[in-house]
Amino acid sequence: TAISDQVMGGRSQGKAEAALDGGTEFIRLQGDVTTANNGGFIQIRKPIAGLSRDLKGISLKIRGNGEKYYVFIRTSGTMLPWQYYKADFPSNREWAEVHIEFKSFTRSSAWIGKRVLPEKIKSIGIVAFGRDHKALIDVASFQFF
């Protein structure tokens, strides 16, 4: 699912599309992120269910345009749309593996739990967020470890 800040009146624009490059299938999130009108994000999101509580983090195979991107996690404890856990990661023009431990995620609000509980994860989002920039991030895979 592709989502932008337009759901709350923002002006960022983006799209997600499936693509193939040299035998690698991936999803591309591309667009313009603007903080105009209290906006500032575009994202792709996937529902998640049934994870083990023993998991320690998430691994991504990504490439991008050199900008910083984020993984947003929503859980059964993030009830409001602006509640999430986030961790950032760098991108570059070559495919790379990124490993992020759940303990590295920060919460968006003091009203949610202090840490990510893997068994409570409801969705994972890859997000271009928080500043005016051109977004281009390719995600070939993600898995939990």
Side-chain angles (χ1 to χ4, degrees):
T1 304
I3 304 165
S4 78
D5 58 21
Q6 292 181 8
V7 299
M8 55 179 240
R11 296 200 177 124
S12 298
Q13 295 184 355
K15 65 179 180 176
E17 60 188 1
L20 179 65
D21 180 24
T24 301
E25 295 180 48
F26 60 93
I27 300 293
R28 172 169 285 167
L29 176 65
Q30 182 174 6
D32 294 307
V33 179
T34 176
T35 54
N37 208 37
N38 295 316
F41 75 88
I42 60 174
Q43 74 171 290
I44 50 177
R45 187 186 301 170
K46 177 166 179 50
I48 304 291
L51 295 179
S52 166
R53 63 186 292 191
D54 298 328
L55 294 171
K56 302 294 182 209
I58 185 169
S59 295
L60 306 164
K61 182 178 179 183
I62 58 97
R63 71 176 175 190
N65 60 352
E67 294 285 344
K68 177 172 58 173
Y69 294 93
Y70 296 84
V71 175
F72 277 24
I73 292 177
R74 293 187 47 82
T75 69
S76 57
T78 55
M79 305 301 279
L80 301 172
W82 52 85
Q83 293 177 327
Y84 52 84
Y85 298 88
K86 74 175 178 180
D88 63 59
F89 62 90
S91 71
N92 61 53
R93 299 193 191 287
E94 301 299 322
W95 288 109
E97 294 282 334
V98 175
H99 308 283
I100 307 169
E101 291 190 10
F102 292 134
K103 66 183 180 183
S104 300
F105 282 77
T106 59
R107 60 187 175 160
S108 64
S109 165
W111 297 99
I112 60 177
K114 290 183 180 180
R115 61 186 181 95
V116 174
L117 300 175
E119 69 274 19
K120 300 205 180 262
I121 293 175
K122 293 190 331 185
S123 70
I124 299 290
I126 305 300
V127 188
F129 169 74
R131 67 198 181 286
D132 296 341
H133 68 286
K134 296 253 185 227
L136 176 67
I137 183 75
D138 297 336
V139 182
S141 66
F142 76 90
Q143 58 186 342
F144 298 95
F145 62 87

